[in-house]
Amino acid sequence: MKPELDRSYPDAMDTWPVAKLRRDQLHKLRRVLKHAHRGLSFYRERYDKAKIEADAVRNFEDFARLPTFTKRDVLDAIREKKSFRTGMESGAGTDMGVLCMTSGTLGTSFLYLPRRWAEIRGNSLARAYWWAGLRPGMRMLMAAPAWHSLAVQETRVIHRLGVTCVVPWGTFLPRHAGSFLAAITEVKPDFVSIFLPMLYALLAECRRRNLRPADAFQSVQNVLVVGAPMTPLSRAKLREDLGVKDLFEGLGNPEGLTAMECSHHRGHHIFIDCCYVEIIDPGSGAPLAAGKRGNVIVTSLIPHGSVYIRYDTEDLGEILPGLCPCGKTWPLLEVYDRRANAVEVARKEIFPYDVRLCLDKVPELIHIPFALLRGRRAAEVLKLKVQQPMGGGALEILENQLKAQIKETLGLEARIEWTEELPERWKGVAVIDEDNGGRARV
Amino acid sequence: MRKLRRLIRQASAAPLYQRKFDVLRDDASSSLKAFVRETPTTTLEELIAEKLVTGDPYSSRWATDHAPLVVFQLEYGTETSLYVGLGPDELKGYAEALRRCWSLVGLGSGDRVGIFDYGTSPVSYLASSAFTPYLRRGAADALGCLVTCNDGEANMSQRAVEIIKYVRPRILFLRSDCLHPFALEVEKDSLSLSDYIDALVTAENEAVLSTAERVAYEKRLAVPIYRMLRVDAAMFLAVECPRCRLLHSWQDLFLVEAPAGGSEEGGKRNPAPLVITNWFAKSCPAIRYVSQVKATLEPAGCPRGPKDLRIAT
Ligand SMILES: [Zn+2]
Ligand SMILES: [Zn+2]
């Protein structure tokens, strides 16, 4: 199969006037809604119960009145039906396709992804990789975790853009950092797509081998990072350490969301060709305007395979007001953290990202993994476990610097516990529940 | 013997083989026998040494001007990483080998298949065109199966059990080193495995589960266990047949030798390392690769595949 080198990419859709984009989105929303109401029992039962006619949804306001659901609802449906088939998917078992999975402490849900889905979502994602500098003829480092829908999408991106790829042995866990680093230094990709905690693990591996990260990444022009947010300081430091042109952050979930930074790094442009995003007040469910933080609600506009309509991701985020200076008209989204990662300290709601900002201000602690500790009851003191930076040295000094940063930035007292290693998780470890035997949340 | 001549000619473009073939007599490609007699073998140690000396990721085995479409780092745990590059021929032939493994263990249209292995293992990446760029037809596409793939980490056993319960694959392929944690998880869940699946297939690179272990786990989990052999450096696959319980492989895809197979000891032939020549790997050839697996070649003739190669480990 020849790479599709002839396709010029991307098209002009990302600069369409806003009114035209809205019309296109509404059309796709109504199409997917009809598909769901006619063919997917998960939605039909819910909508019938709520006496909602899919055909009666004529505008975004009507759409915003449809019920939302969470991962818990999907898992309940799986357990009730004792099957991956929850009634959210069409054609499972008849069309060519694969089943991918989600991870998480709540449990595993399955997504049926037929070939048509992979084409549409993958072609859309190809634009994101193009923005990040991936070009025909380049070689990309791709980790192939076949259980994750990103692998299915990247497979399509690579074919679509006519690039070749190198796949290191293993999976996105720090213990495989050695093989990832070898693949980068030996097969010399031009472009790296990676989960952020794994990128940090690669830096640690470089330190272990006494190798300058910029030497290891000599062939690499750009890096696309997913899985956890980079702070502005950590991005700048990563770019400097790796010696790459730029690092781009992608946001996404298998259920439908794709959002991607442009070179202005002012937030993540929502890929409105494939998904529709709303922000709602978690209490009342009311839609929130741009600039207000709330729960991120995602609707996939692809009427194939597993379809998610008004799925409450339980992420805390906001649509940023105004247009991006890059000229693209796709709205900008920022996601701050998982709601479930909130820890209450001294009557304040603290998220791991807030604490990361403090660690970043202590140069030795940039890129160092850490986790918040959460007890059953709200605490007065912020407790965290921080991985000891390599080279050991004056932990006491670092501890005092970090405590001072936390006090200054968050107005909180902190108790810091140094640890040699944190539990290994794909997306890193954000919060450890103390009453859960110290088990980490994913 | 046109096939043989073509393979030798193509492989000669790769520096590693060029050196080996320089010493070949003209009649080396006149027959398989002459080829086996004349052509030097290639060992894992040689691939490592070549990689260390030249720095070439493919150990000087890459034989065309085009860059590989997909490069896979191999699971060898050696002092330096080894790789194979795959072009269209490799992707097609290798996936065909996996399709035949699936067919032999009884998979067909409409079946669901689970895989408890890394996405970077050929057991996974050849399973579906959705998993590997430029793979036109994976085993699942060719047979009409629906496949789901877990990761290859032992601590993913719980999710493997969820796959069993909610996807109900007809067969679960799993890494041999995941068998123990998987069995523990099945027991923790009090799952009657045979209510959900027909069989397990264990797979590993250049090794197979011992018969004693297979029997013990079959008893413990109360499902048949078949073994699959990967030899990743040679892009080779073989799988245990449910009927004759020997490994089957295919002579149109591979030439397999077990050189000491002729020697007798109390009427029993001594197992010898399998030597593999790959017929479809033209860009990244594997010629007389000496694997770490000791086996004997048995006569063909199983009703499940009368012409298949049969290997006893
Ligand atoms: Zn922009
Ligand atoms: Zn047989």
Side-chain angles (χ1 to χ4, degrees):
Chain A
M1 211 184 292
K2 286 216 173 68
E4 295 180 20
L5 284 166
D6 53 327
R7 294 187 194 266
S8 60
Y9 213 82
D11 62 23
M13 192 186 174
D14 50 27
T15 53
W16 279 3
V18 174
K20 186 175 175 183
L21 288 174
R22 300 272 291 173
R23 273 200 307 278
D24 181 72
Q25 283 226 293
L26 188 59
H27 166 74
K28 285 178 179 163
L29 272 182
R30 294 182 66 193
R31 183 182 64 178
V32 81
L33 203 53
K34 258 183 214 165
H35 167 74
H37 200 196
R38 285 194 192 136
L40 309 180
S41 61
F42 181 90
Y43 294 104
R44 199 171 48 241
E45 285 162 15
R46 275 158 195 263
Y47 294 167
D48 286 352
K49 210 162 134 196
K51 298 194 167 48
I52 293 165
E53 269 298 324
D55 291 342
V57 171
R58 301 202 177 280
N59 50 44
F60 293 107
E61 290 71 33
D62 292 344
F63 184 76
R65 282 191 280 272
L66 296 176
T68 61
F69 65 98
T70 63
K71 177 143 182 196
R72 170 60 66 200
D73 297 304
V74 181
L75 295 175
D76 287 348
I78 290 172
R79 291 201 179 113
E80 187 200 317
K81 294 176 193 296
K82 295 189 173 60
S83 170
F84 70 95
R85 289 196 181 96
T86 56
M88 298 167 74
E89 58 287 309
S90 50
T94 48
D95 305 341
M96 278 300 122
V98 292
L99 276 182
C100 284
M101 287 177 286
T102 62
S103 61
T105 40
L106 284 178
T108 302
S109 60
F110 300 87
L111 289 111
Y112 171 62
L113 309 178
R115 190 169 285 186
R116 193 74 193 107
W117 180 96
E119 277 169 13
I120 296 172
R121 187 99 190 256
N123 287 354
S124 167
L125 191 68
R127 183 191 305 267
Y129 285 63
W130 181 279
W131 288 0
L134 185 62
R135 292 292 179 273
M138 282 187 172
R139 180 177 284 161
M140 165 173 146
L141 180 116
M142 170 206 190
W147 61 269
H148 199 286
S149 84
L150 185 62
V152 175
Q153 296 174 57
E154 281 196 342
T155 291
R156 178 67 196 168
V157 167
I158 287 168
H159 184 240
R160 170 84 171 179
L161 291 182
V163 300
T164 63
C165 67
V166 51
V167 183
W169 176 260
T171 190
F172 281 127
L173 288 176
R175 95 181 64 139
H176 297 283
S179 57
F180 275 63
L181 193 60
I184 292 171
T185 55
E186 295 171 353
V187 189
K188 303 186 187 345
D190 308 279
F191 186 94
V192 167
S193 157
I194 200 161
F195 274 62
L196 185 60
M198 192 65 187
L199 187 57
Y200 291 147
L202 287 183
L203 291 173
E205 184 68 20
C206 284
R207 280 195 294 274
R208 255 192 296 279
R209 294 192 193 180
N210 228 347
L211 178 67
R212 274 185 60 228
D215 290 338
F217 277 70
Q218 204 174 17
S219 66
V220 180
Q221 299 187 27
N222 289 318
V223 179
L224 198 162
V225 169
V226 293
M230 282 183 287
T231 60
L233 267 175
S234 64
R235 177 206 304 280
K237 180 83 167 65
L238 277 171
R239 186 156 66 183
E240 187 190 319
D241 285 355
L242 300 174
V244 295
K245 279 193 211 155
D246 209 350
L247 287 105
F248 295 83
E249 189 180 277
L251 280 180
N253 61 36
E255 293 86 0
L257 177 68
T258 304
M260 171 72 188
E261 290 184 333
C262 65
S263 53
H264 289 261
H265 305 296
R266 291 270 298 261
H268 307 78
H269 287 285
I270 299 168
F271 274 48
I272 61 173
D273 52 345
C274 282
C275 63
Y276 175 66
V277 176
E278 304 161 83
I279 306 292
I280 64 163
D281 180 288
S284 67
L288 294 176
K292 296 260 190 277
R293 290 185 183 196
N295 278 25
V296 179
I297 309 293
V298 170
T299 297
S300 166
L301 300 176
I302 304 173
H304 301 280
S306 295
V307 176
Y308 279 69
I309 298 175
R310 298 208 86 220
Y311 174 64
D312 186 343
T313 62
E314 298 173 275
D315 282 333
L316 176 71
E318 71 174 295
I319 294 191
L320 304 174
L323 284 175
C324 184
C326 71
K328 297 176 178 78
T329 47
W330 292 4
L332 292 168
L333 174 72
E334 199 51 85
V335 170
Y336 300 101
D337 221 313
R338 305 275 310 144
R339 278 235 167 254
N341 283 343
V343 177
E344 198 187 324
V345 186
R347 288 154 302 282
K348 285 182 185 162
E349 204 177 46
I350 300 295
F351 286 95
Y353 187 86
D354 302 321
V355 180
R356 176 93 260 171
L357 289 169
C358 300
L359 266 88
D360 277 1
K361 289 180 188 154
V362 182
E364 290 87 344
L365 298 181
I366 285 189
H367 307 161
I368 294 296
F370 75 100
L372 303 188
L373 297 177
R374 175 168 52 196
R376 196 180 304 240
R377 270 182 249 122
E380 290 302 314
V381 176
L382 178 69
K383 290 187 273 185
L384 57 153
K385 259 190 184 181
V386 184
Q387 198 167 298
Q388 289 175 21
M390 251 185 295
L395 287 184
E396 216 179 292
I397 298 174
L398 294 181
E399 188 167 322
N400 288 335
Q401 287 177 342
L402 180 55
K403 279 181 177 170
Q405 282 301 341
I406 291 171
K407 180 82 192 167
E408 189 189 320
T409 316
L410 304 174
L412 293 173
E413 302 297 331
R415 189 181 308 152
I416 292 154
E417 196 183 310
W418 297 97
T419 176
E420 289 199 356
E421 233 166 57
L422 283 161
E424 286 194 325
R425 291 288 187 281
W426 261 55
K427 295 182 178 175
V429 172
V431 176
I432 295 175
D433 282 310
E434 289 176 308
D435 61 345
N436 195 15
R439 260 181 61 180
R441 291 187 57 87
V442 174
Chain B
M1 285 302 98
R2 203 185 308 156
K3 187 156 105 172
L4 194 53
R5 267 194 290 275
R6 203 166 48 217
L7 183 68
I8 289 179
R9 196 179 56 239
Q10 275 157 339
S12 300
L16 180 79
Y17 295 116
Q18 194 179 35
R19 289 201 300 270
K20 288 177 189 287
F21 297 161
D22 273 351
V23 299
L24 284 193
R25 292 218 312 261
D26 284 348
D27 67 346
S29 60
S30 63
S31 70
L32 282 182
K33 244 185 190 158
F35 170 74
V36 165
R37 194 180 57 231
E38 298 278 331
T39 316
T41 57
T42 305
T43 61
L44 184 65
E45 293 69 33
E46 218 178 322
L47 296 180
I48 295 166
E50 186 70 19
K51 160 83 188 308
L52 287 171
V53 170
T54 62
D56 175 42
Y58 318 108
S59 305
S60 307
R61 278 205 292 164
W62 189 249
T64 76
D65 295 336
H66 310 289
L69 293 172
V70 191
V71 179
F72 282 98
Q73 194 179 48
L74 302 178
E75 185 193 12
Y76 278 93
T78 44
E79 56 178 310
T80 185
S81 299
L82 299 175
Y83 302 83
V84 287
L86 281 74
D89 293 331
E90 285 78 13
L91 286 165
K92 189 177 165 202
Y94 209 179
E96 170 62 12
L98 186 69
R99 182 197 70 78
R100 292 186 196 179
C101 291
W102 282 28
S103 286
L104 193 77
V105 294
L107 289 168
S109 177
D111 285 336
R112 289 187 294 273
V113 181
I115 300 173
F116 184 4
D117 201 340
Y118 294 105
T120 53
S121 159
V123 173
S124 309
Y125 73 71
L126 299 170
S128 169
S129 60
F131 298 153
T132 302
Y134 307 112
L135 175 63
R136 200 187 282 270
R137 234 165 62 125
D141 309 304
L143 292 174
C145 300
L146 180 63
V147 62
T148 188
C149 185
N150 201 4
D151 223 330
E153 296 281 323
N155 66 10
M156 292 288 193
S157 296
Q158 196 188 344
R159 202 166 66 174
V161 166
E162 290 183 272
I163 291 176
I164 298 285
K165 286 202 288 196
Y166 301 127
V167 180
R168 292 175 170 257
R170 183 146 178 221
I171 284 179
L172 179 76
F173 290 81
L174 80 172
R175 296 171 60 75
S176 295
D177 59 13
C178 287
L179 186 56
H180 177 65
F182 175 73
L184 289 178
E185 199 65 37
V186 166
E187 285 159 356
K188 200 175 102 191
D189 217 69
S190 308
L191 199 69
S192 170
L193 210 48
S194 59
D195 292 347
Y196 293 86
I197 62 172
D198 284 2
L200 293 170
V201 177
T202 62
E204 57 190 295
N205 188 24
E206 302 223 8
V208 284
L209 196 71
S210 72
T211 303
E213 277 181 294
R214 171 173 72 77
V215 170
Y217 276 108
E218 279 185 333
K219 204 166 152 199
R220 186 169 161 190
L221 294 169
V223 286
I225 297 176
Y226 308 120
R227 295 168 293 187
M228 188 164 148
L229 169 63
R230 293 160 36 201
V231 179
D232 293 355
M235 300 183 209
F236 173 83
L237 295 172
V239 74
E240 185 173 342
C241 167
R243 173 95 181 229
C244 69
R245 304 303 297 240
L246 294 172
L247 298 179
H248 281 222
S249 195
W250 300 276
Q251 44 192 329
D252 59 326
L253 302 178
F254 309 103
L255 170 67
V256 182
E257 309 161 48
S263 65
E264 305 264 339
E265 197 179 89
K268 227 176 150 219
R269 279 170 298 161
N270 286 330
L274 284 180
V275 177
I276 293 153
T277 298
N278 183 313
W279 290 120
F280 60 78
K282 294 180 184 123
S283 313
C284 192
I287 292 173
R288 303 204 71 221
Y289 173 76
V290 184
S291 76
Q292 322 285 310
V293 187
K294 286 191 171 176
T296 56
L297 281 181
E298 303 298 321
C302 173
R304 282 266 182 128
K307 289 181 180 170
D308 294 356
L309 294 163
R310 292 200 299 169
I311 301 162
T313 56

